[in-house]
Amino acid sequence: MGPPIECLASALVTIVRPEVPADYDVIRDLHTLAFAGPTEARLVDRLRGSSGSISLVAVEAGTVLGHILFTAVNLEGERPAVRVAGLGPMAVSPSRQRSGIGSALVEQGLEECRRAGYEAVVVVGHPRYYPRLGFRRCSSFGLRCQFDVPDEVFMAVELNPDVLSGGGEVRYPPEFSEE
């Protein structure tokens, strides 16, 4: 991973860095609070340490305020193999949402995905949030999701130009189907 980044998400400096074991409980609590239940927190626990995963936290004044996870997904289609990461879950402390922490996590995460050799990133997320960070509807690339999700919430960003042309289906690891 490259050096931690700093962003001025508030009057304090926010550092984005890889998660460490001491962060696990706080990450679990963040996801439980941000999503009003434990489903995403359990997903993070199941995916933690999976091959090719990237897990980052946003820290301000020694406090973890946000977390983002990227994991390898499969793109099935009629093209040469493309390395794709799935973004999510991502959580920011409810008291600090809309302060730039989520954007800092996504931006640093995309850079880490590039360094790790990923060529694109997909997300099932808010249709007004992710386009600000360069994501477009997957349908514009001819991609579909294995899950039944509305077109406007399934998005992708290419880290290498034109790698998603040709369409196909994005398949998530089995942990995404577990409860």
Side-chain angles (χ1 to χ4, degrees):
M1 175 164 157
I5 65 158
E6 297 179 2
C7 76
L8 298 175
S10 67
L12 299 172
V13 174
T14 302
I15 304 292
V16 177
R17 63 160 172 80
E19 73 169 14
V20 296
D23 300 327
Y24 294 174
D25 289 340
V26 174
I27 290 169
R28 196 172 296 113
D29 292 344
L30 270 175
H31 284 279
T32 300
L33 282 171
F35 290 99
T39 302
E40 283 78 7
R42 281 188 239 155
L43 177 60
V44 170
D45 286 340
R46 287 192 305 268
L47 290 168
R48 182 172 279 118
S50 61
S51 178
S53 68
I54 297 168
S55 186
L56 304 172
V57 292
V59 181
E60 196 172 87
T63 302
V64 174
L65 297 174
H67 173 258
I68 193 167
L69 180 66
F70 296 83
T71 52
V73 297
N74 291 319
L75 178 54
E76 298 176 358
E78 302 289 324
R79 79 173 67 64
V82 176
R83 270 194 88 208
V84 180
L87 184 168
M90 177 177 75
V92 174
S93 174
S95 67
R96 294 303 308 279
Q97 291 176 1
R98 294 175 179 69
S99 68
I101 292 172
S103 295
L105 284 165
V106 172
E107 289 168 4
Q108 181 67 19
L110 293 176
E111 186 56 37
E112 294 306 319
C113 285
R114 277 186 192 90
R115 285 190 188 108
Y118 286 107
E119 299 173 90
V121 175
V122 296
V123 65
V124 175
H126 199 284
R128 289 191 307 262
Y129 179 76
Y130 288 97
R132 294 184 304 122
L133 300 165
F135 286 80
R136 301 183 357 217
R137 288 184 184 196
C138 282
S139 59
S140 70
F141 299 105
L143 299 178
R144 62 193 178 285
C145 185
Q146 80 179 80
F147 302 115
D148 185 21
V149 297
D151 181 57
E152 66 271 9
V153 304
F154 188 46
M155 294 167 273
V157 62
E158 293 178 310
L159 304 178
N160 292 334
D162 301 320
V163 296
L164 294 178
S165 62
E169 182 175 75
V170 175
R171 306 285 304 174
Y172 285 80
E175 291 87 352
F176 279 85
S177 299
E178 299 172 12
E179 284 293 320

